[in-house]
Amino acid sequence: MSDLNLIVSIIASLFVSVGIYLVLHRSVINILMGLGLLTHATNLLILVMSGSPIGKSAPIVLDSGAQVYVDPLPQALILTAIVIGFGVTAFMVVFFYRLVKENQRTEVNES
Amino acid sequence: MEQAIMKDSYILRSFYPVIFWIINIFALFVFFKGHNAPGGGFIAGIASAISLVFLYIIEGRKCLNRIPSPVSLAAIGLALAYGTALAPTLMGQAFLMHTMWHLHIPLLGELHIGTPALFDLGVYCVVIGITVSIALWFDEASEYE
Amino acid sequence: MGILIAIGLPVLAALSIGVFRLKRWVFTLSFISALGSVASLYTQVSLNQVYTRSWMPNMLIDLSFMADGLSLFFGYVVSVMGCFILFYAKHYLPKVSDSNPRFYAYILLFMSAMLGTLFSNNLLLLFIFWELTGVISFLLIGFNTHTEKGRIGSRMAFIVTATTGLILLVGVLLLGILYQTFDISLISRMPALDNTVWSTLAFSFILIGVIGKSAQFPLHFWLPNAMAAPTPVSAYLHSAAMVKLGVFLVARCYPILSSLDYWYVVGIIGLITMVVGAVLALLTYDLKGILAYTTVSQLGYLIGFYGLGGSTGVEHDFFHILNHVLYKGSLFMVAGIVIHAFHTQDIRKMGNAFSAMPLAAIACVVSAASMAGIPGTTGFLSKELMLAHMLHHPNYPILIGALVVSASCLVATAFRLCLHIFLPSKTTKPVESQSVFFQLPPFILAMATLIIGLFPKSVTHFLSQASVAGLHIANPHTVSLWHGITPELIISLCITLSGIIIYTVFQSFQWRATVPGILQLDAGFNRGITGLSCLSKWLNRRFLVDSIRAHISIVLVFFVALMAPLLFALSPSIQISNISIVYLPLLIITGTAAIIVSMSKKWHVKLIALSVVGLLVSFVFFLYRAPDLVLTQLLIEIVSLVLLLLFFKKFSTMKRKKDHAVHDRSGLSFLKALVSIGVGGIVFVLIQVVNRPSADNPIGQFFIENTRPLAGGSNAVNTILVDFRGFDTLGEISVLFIAMVGVMGLLWNKRS
């Protein structure tokens, strides 16, 4: 396992920890931010799966001879995931707005 | 009755038309080069959506009346994408089978026009449509109550 | 094509009844479509015709239909009986009722599902239709939704047949794996299965499916409970058609499975069911219950018959089935007429009905005689053939004994049916006379029993034409009314005599005996169902917490607790290299930003920190040579920021109550931190365990190599998105669209 992969996996696990910690809060703002961090974490996890990028080039295949490219599939998956993540964030924002409006509280009601 | 959010920012109001066109030219470039260089429908769509959202923030609701409503844009995009996906099945080919034509156009270089571009156009429209409409509705939400 | 017409016509009729909400002409439409189904079977379908259309070729499922002797015979039985039942139901159902069209539609759908099962040439297709019959049977048993008996009966029938159906699916899949195809016509041409563990497993799973569907012991209890259905349904589904599917499947699998060592289990189960059903028929007083138990007994008789068959095949099996269909259908229809007249199902309160329904009475006497095996009826011939078959079997004393016991009980039951319903009795008054058309269907069936019983050659000739290779022996014996004085005839005589003795004994006890507790499996089944719901209620009460956070925490704690030992076991294989200084700043900045997001009390600080995190993530994308991702991430960061700012703008102006002043207790906060650190740690180890360089070529190489030749673009990420995996992108933009619709719903839904 290369340096970069190790660092990124540490970052991703850190995001998971902080994201989970935030999601377990009552306040809607914290939950929203926690979900955002979890999205980042997941994207990074998929990225780590593509292996170490060192010494490889971006997956844009040009005529300039045989090169080693990074795996394009995780990138395509992450691109999809980012956009879907945005859709989810947008929905959650509106959902929490609605929730706060109904309850007149910024906290998720217990029970 | 409605007020643009950042109506009072003079700097933004003066410079925004220029910025708007820069963003959109960037989006166009990215859209067409997407098959061979970084870019594509998603990125171009988000870029254009950002330009429109900022336009709304600066100019208010009325500036968006000139373009088709975002919802219908999203619906058209979805229909376009599904249409390009389904069309080959009518001709007896596999679902989502693409065909291409190669063109040489000045400025943009070699260009591939084909059903992938149509499909990407669908994606582009959907992304713009939903981003702008969510931001718009969300900001106007209080008016519906 | 003829098969498709036969299957499709009833569906079309049923759909048009449902879609156009027809009120009138429903009966005519259904009857014509059923007749059309019979006619297309007769004119358009020839033997060994196969019709195939590709459906899911990758999973070896094709829309494939096949007509051979077996399926054609059963097909005729189902469709012709369907016509009789429809005609009968017209007179049975109330004249004016809103639910009548629904009834006809269900019956037609059932007929199609049955025909589909019979003519399927693909084992998985057969399974699909098999389960469809169960679903429609559920609807029909519970047709009288307002009665509790109907609800319980339909639930029981559905649970038993659907569960055993799923087990059957496992058997079918095993069979498909063993033969490398699900095509029945191909399989039947291949050699029979060898005795291996897998073939035995496949056989036993299929057998369980048969036991459930054909109500064999010990799952026979659902059939008497299914008698809550309207009587036409009982006559059709639960004697003539659906329960025969088990018999059909046994016959279908006979060529490939009968060589197995354990095939004799089929015979044992059949014979046990035969005896149990016949004895239980004596112990009940519900008219339809009696008939249900005799049906159970006869199904055991039919399945047992196949179970005793040798490796060369069987003979006259169609004759046995035809015999049962004719007399049992007729008896059920008579029962329906009687119940219609008496408004009760209790046979002890009946009597004196002859003058009200003479045709039905004659039908009843003839059919009961057939059930008892009196000479001149098909039942007699069937029993003689069965006895002859059994006498050639090495274990004949046991077999003959079982047959004598069950047949004697059936004789007693036959006497009871005829004498107790129609003879004058002091306690009951004569009932109103019933319409002639109502009595016609059972009468016709009974006459058929009589005619075929007297002139068997007329029918056996046709039946022998429908013989199937591997199932039937090449040159069957001829069936004739008089064989001379043979052992079979003497045993038959003994059966009749002992039946009469049993009848007189029970008569002297006034039929007071009831089903012993140990055999009331249905009560046990219901207790089990009630127990399950009690258990789940108890579990809910004990473990349900009305807090989302508590739910999440419980799930996460279990995640950590379950994953930790596993990962600990795998951890020695991890190699961790040294961290080079170059990337350390990245880690430090990202970590600080993430911790600020979690710790800060001010929302704008949080927001800035979150944006920093997003930018750093795009920097990581840059390090990983992913220009598309960098662009996307940056732009999405901007849009998200705008959205969140709009949110906070609204937030600050929104009127709201004071937030709870109480903060989480420090203990709880500590627990949260512990859980989240645990999950993060697990994720870290998980990555290290999973992410090892794979030796074989990864799929990414395929996209790199083919992005130019196949998709005509040099950006592999983009060609994956729009071309190679364009289907994912379609799904994605659909999800985005749905999110938009969701937002629309949330914002526009104002409560006035």
Side-chain angles (χ1 to χ4, degrees):
Chain A
M1 170 155 283
S2 78
D3 304 330
L4 187 56
N5 263 3
L6 186 65
I7 291 281
V8 173
S9 55
I10 292 174
I11 294 177
S13 331
L14 188 74
F15 284 0
V16 169
S17 282
V18 176
I20 297 258
Y21 179 73
L22 284 171
V23 165
L24 289 177
H25 275 73
R26 271 185 186 165
S27 150
V28 289
I29 298 170
N30 281 332
I31 295 176
L32 212 54
M33 305 241 163
L35 288 175
L37 279 178
L38 284 176
T39 313
H40 286 317
T42 317
N43 291 342
L44 290 182
L45 288 189
I46 304 174
L47 196 65
V48 169
M49 296 298 159
S50 66
S52 170
I54 293 163
K56 299 178 184 174
S57 59
I60 292 165
V61 184
L62 299 171
D63 294 324
S64 56
Q67 273 180 319
V68 188
Y69 298 99
V70 294
D71 194 344
L73 188 62
Q75 298 193 4
L77 293 180
I78 295 169
L79 209 151
T80 313
I82 293 174
V83 181
I84 293 262
F86 166 68
V88 173
T89 309
F91 184 80
M92 288 313 265
V93 164
V94 177
F95 179 76
F96 282 132
Y97 160 73
R98 181 84 189 168
L99 202 69
V100 171
K101 229 174 119 58
E102 297 285 319
N103 291 336
Q104 306 193 345
R105 286 226 173 89
T106 57
E107 295 181 345
V108 179
N109 243 353
E110 295 283 288
S111 88
Chain B
M1 93 193 197
E2 37 141 348
Q3 295 265 314
I5 298 167
M6 293 175 97
K7 201 162 91 43
D8 301 333
S9 165
Y10 182 76
I11 302 174
L12 263 180
R13 279 177 69 85
S14 344
F15 279 98
Y16 194 67
V18 182
I19 301 172
F20 179 82
W21 287 112
I22 291 174
I23 296 178
N24 275 309
I25 289 168
F26 166 75
L28 196 73
F29 188 78
V30 158
F31 177 80
F32 278 110
K33 290 300 284 179
H35 224 50
N36 293 322
F42 279 119
I43 299 170
I46 305 162
S48 293
I50 288 174
S51 74
L52 287 173
V53 169
F54 272 92
L55 191 65
Y56 168 72
I57 287 177
I58 293 160
E59 301 274 340
R61 183 76 173 86
K62 63 180 185 302
C63 68
L64 291 181
N65 291 341
R66 274 174 280 160
I67 63 164
S69 89
V71 188
S72 52
L73 198 64
I76 290 167
L78 202 64
L80 195 62
Y82 273 92
T84 20
L86 280 173
T89 58
L90 297 180
M91 293 167 217
Q93 281 179 303
F95 187 70
L96 263 170
M97 189 77 200
H98 287 312
T99 41
M100 308 262 306
W101 301 275
H102 298 269
L103 294 177
H104 283 280
I105 287 179
L107 288 178
L108 287 169
E110 195 186 2
L111 194 64
H112 301 282
I113 289 291
T115 48
L118 273 182
F119 186 78
D120 235 11
L121 187 65
V123 174
Y124 174 79
C125 293
V126 172
V127 172
I128 295 186
I130 75 127
T131 312
V132 174
S133 56
I134 289 178
L136 216 94
W137 291 335
F138 186 50
D139 187 54
E140 290 180 343
S142 57
E143 291 173 26
Y144 293 103
E145 282 135 33
Chain C
M1 266 329 262
I3 301 172
L4 285 190
I5 297 173
I7 298 174
L9 263 182
V11 174
L12 276 183
L15 283 182
S16 52
I17 292 172
V19 172
F20 300 116
R21 303 199 171 275
L22 296 185
K23 289 271 187 291
R24 284 175 296 172
W25 304 106
V26 177
F27 166 73
T28 321
L29 178 67
S30 353
F31 195 67
I32 287 173
S33 71
L35 278 183
S37 198
V38 179
S40 73
L41 279 188
Y42 186 69
T43 58
Q44 305 286 320
V45 179
S46 54
L47 276 181
N48 300 323
Q49 179 184 345
V50 176
Y51 172 86
T52 305
R53 201 178 149 78
S54 171
W55 182 17
M56 285 185 262
N58 292 340
M59 306 173 88
L60 299 176
I61 303 178
D62 292 314
L63 279 178
S64 180
F65 296 100
M66 167 199 57
D68 64 350
L70 182 66
S71 51
L72 257 184
F73 167 72
F74 272 97
Y76 277 126
V77 167
V78 166
S79 51
V80 173
M81 269 309 276
C83 295
F84 274 101
I85 294 294
L86 283 170
F87 186 81
Y88 174 77
K90 181 181 190 307
H91 300 278
Y92 180 85
L93 293 175
K95 285 270 177 298
V96 184
S97 166
D98 288 340
S99 55
N100 283 355
R102 192 159 58 97
F103 184 85
Y104 289 119
Y106 286 166
I107 290 271
L108 289 174
L109 282 179
F110 172 76
M111 194 167 143
S112 292
M114 267 310 282
L115 290 174
T117 322
L118 300 174
F119 287 106
S120 293
N121 189 25
N122 186 297
L123 280 171
L124 291 171
L125 193 65
L126 185 145
F127 165 76
I128 293 170
F129 280 116
W130 173 288
E131 289 291 53
L132 272 180
T133 60
V135 172
I136 303 167
S137 154
F138 170 75
L139 294 173
L140 279 169
I141 297 170
F143 188 76
N144 294 322
T145 42
H146 54 273
T147 61
E148 195 186 354
K149 260 179 91 179
R151 289 198 300 267
I152 290 180
S154 58
R155 188 181 67 187
M156 186 184 292
F158 186 71
I159 291 176
V160 171
T161 54
T163 318
T164 53
L166 287 178
I167 297 172
L168 168 73
L169 175 64
V170 181
V172 161
L173 289 174
L174 275 177
L175 213 57
I177 292 168
L178 288 172
Y179 276 107
Q180 293 295 312
T181 175
F182 289 105
D183 192 302
I184 294 173
S185 60
L186 282 181
I187 289 177
S188 61
R189 263 182 254 129
M190 288 189 208
L193 284 176
D194 297 329
N195 280 299
T196 59
V197 178
W198 295 113
S199 62
T200 313
L201 268 182
F203 162 66
S204 33
F205 287 144
I206 291 176
L207 183 61
I208 291 174
V210 167
I211 290 174
K213 199 72 163 182
S214 274
Q216 297 296 291
F217 184 81
L219 297 178
H220 61 279
F221 55 85
W222 70 263
L223 191 58
N225 279 288
M227 291 300 144
T231 308
V233 174
S234 310
Y236 193 29
L237 275 69
H238 305 124
S239 80
M242 190 179 81
V243 290
K244 290 280 193 303
L245 272 183
V247 183
F248 167 77
L249 193 67
V250 169
R252 199 28 116 213
C253 297
Y254 191 90
I256 51 172
L257 293 179
S258 64
S259 57
L260 294 182
D261 282 347
Y262 292 99
W263 180 256
Y264 67 87
V265 177
V266 178
I268 292 177
I269 287 176
L271 292 180
I272 292 176
T273 313
M274 181 173 86
V275 174
V276 168
V279 173
L280 290 181
L282 288 175
L283 303 180
T284 178
Y285 49 83
D286 180 289
L287 179 53
K288 285 174 77 178
I290 295 172
L291 290 179
Y293 279 123
T294 59
T295 307
V296 168
S297 166
Q298 286 296 299
L299 288 169
Y301 174 92
L302 295 172
I303 285 180
F305 173 74
Y306 282 111
L308 300 177
S311 55
T312 49
V314 294
E315 56 176 345
H316 303 309
D317 51 339
F318 290 165
F319 191 79
H320 296 304
I321 296 166
L322 185 66
N323 160 51
H324 180 241
V325 167
L326 288 177
Y327 82 73
K328 192 51 63 67
S330 163
L331 277 181
F332 262 112
M333 291 187 195
V334 170
I337 300 171
V338 171
I339 291 167
H340 206 263
F342 282 99
H343 303 293
T344 174
Q345 298 198 5
D346 192 340
I347 194 170
R348 295 171 301 187
K349 295 178 184 157
M350 294 176 183
N352 222 357
F354 183 81
S355 56
M357 45 188 102
L359 284 182
I362 295 167
C364 182
V365 169
V366 172
S367 307
S370 180
M371 181 162 83
I374 306 293
T377 58
T378 51
F380 171 71
L381 295 170
S382 164
K383 198 167 58 182
E384 297 285 292
L385 289 169
M386 188 71 165
L387 283 169
H389 185 67
M390 285 177 165
L391 281 170
H392 290 109
H393 200 275
N395 292 330
Y396 69 90
I398 305 169
L399 306 181
I400 299 281
L403 185 64
V404 167
V405 171
S406 78
S408 313
C409 294
L410 289 185
V411 170
T413 309
F415 271 104
R416 186 185 182 194
L417 285 178
C418 296
L419 300 179
H420 286 220
I421 297 174
F422 296 106
L423 274 198
S425 102
K426 295 187 187 88
T427 50
T428 49
K429 281 174 275 180
V431 288
E432 57 183 303
S433 61
Q434 302 289 316
S435 128
V436 176
F437 290 112
F438 196 12
Q439 303 172 43
L440 208 53
F443 185 72
I444 296 172
L445 289 178
M447 286 305 110
T449 312
L450 205 56
I451 291 167
I452 298 172
L454 288 172
F455 310 103
K457 286 203 180 61
S458 56
V459 171
T460 47
H461 175 65
F462 281 112
L463 294 183
S464 64
Q465 279 181 348
S467 69
V468 177
L471 172 62
H472 296 117
I473 57 174
N475 295 307
H477 300 81
T478 49
V479 186
S480 55
L481 188 52
W482 178 250
H483 288 277
I485 298 184
T486 51
E488 295 98 287
L489 191 67
I490 294 167
I491 297 173
S492 262
L493 212 64
C494 294
I495 289 173
T496 317
L497 279 177
S498 61
I500 294 172
I501 292 168
I502 291 175
Y503 174 77
T504 43
V505 167
F506 270 83
Q507 185 68 11
S508 64
F509 283 115
Q510 298 288 321
W511 303 90
R512 256 186 237 125
T514 50
V515 182
I518 197 163
L519 282 174
Q520 286 178 348
L521 297 177
D522 47 350
F525 180 85
N526 277 335
R527 269 200 297 278
I529 295 282
T530 325
L532 265 183
S533 83
C534 285
L535 180 71
S536 83
K537 270 181 202 153
W538 180 80
L539 279 176
N540 261 338
R541 266 203 312 277
R542 289 303 301 271
F543 294 109
L544 189 85
V545 197
D546 284 338
S547 152
I548 303 163
R549 291 194 304 154
H551 273 287
I552 299 174
S553 310
I554 290 170
V555 171
L556 290 177
V557 166
F558 268 90
F559 172 73
V560 174
L562 291 178
M563 290 299 282
L566 182 70
L567 292 176
F568 188 72
L570 289 171
S571 55
S573 60
I574 302 171
Q575 303 135 1
I576 290 183
S577 59
N578 299 322
I579 297 177
S580 70
I581 305 294
V582 187
Y583 300 119
L584 216 52
L586 176 69
L587 179 63
I588 293 168
I589 304 174
T590 324
T592 321
I595 287 171
I596 291 175
V597 173
S598 68
M599 291 300 172
S600 170
K601 295 258 185 290
K602 298 195 169 80
W603 63 261
H604 49 266
V605 179
K606 276 175 188 286
L607 202 57
I608 292 167
L610 192 68
S611 298
V612 169
V613 167
L615 291 177
L616 286 170
V617 166
S618 63
F619 180 65
V620 173
F621 289 151
F622 169 74
L623 288 180
Y624 272 82
R625 323 291 196 261
D628 295 86
L629 294 187
V630 176
L631 277 173
T632 318
Q633 180 68 41
L634 283 174
L635 292 169
I636 285 285
E637 232 12 82
I638 298 173
V639 187
S640 305
L641 190 66
V642 170
L643 258 185
L644 284 171
L645 280 172
L646 284 177
F647 179 61
F648 287 117
K649 173 192 159 234
K650 291 210 165 294
F651 215 63
S652 53
T653 60
M654 210 183 288
K655 66 167 188 239
R656 55 174 190 234
K657 293 176 192 161
K658 192 114 176 72
D659 284 341
H660 292 292
V662 277
H663 281 280
D664 285 335
R665 279 162 293 159
S666 57
L668 204 62
S669 207
F670 177 70
L671 206 66
K672 279 195 295 197
L674 208 63
V675 168
S676 44
I677 289 170
V679 175
I682 292 283
V683 168
F684 177 72
V685 184
L686 197 65
I687 304 170
Q688 309 306 318
V689 171
V690 171
N691 187 31
R692 267 174 289 175
S694 53
D696 43 356
N697 51 342
I699 187 155
Q701 203 54 38
F702 168 84
F703 295 118
I704 292 284
E705 279 160 14
N706 289 300
T707 176
R708 280 167 77 91
L710 285 185
S714 47
N715 184 359
V717 176
N718 188 266
T719 50
I720 290 174
L721 282 177
V722 298
D723 206 327
F724 290 118
R725 301 194 60 87
F727 201 59
D728 292 356
T729 311
L730 266 189
E732 180 197 356
I733 55 177
S734 310
V735 168
L736 284 181
F737 200 81
I738 292 164
M740 186 185 76
V741 174
V743 168
M744 200 196 284
L746 280 172
L747 289 179
W748 289 14
N749 168 28
K750 57 175 180 181
R751 216 179 283 162
S752 50

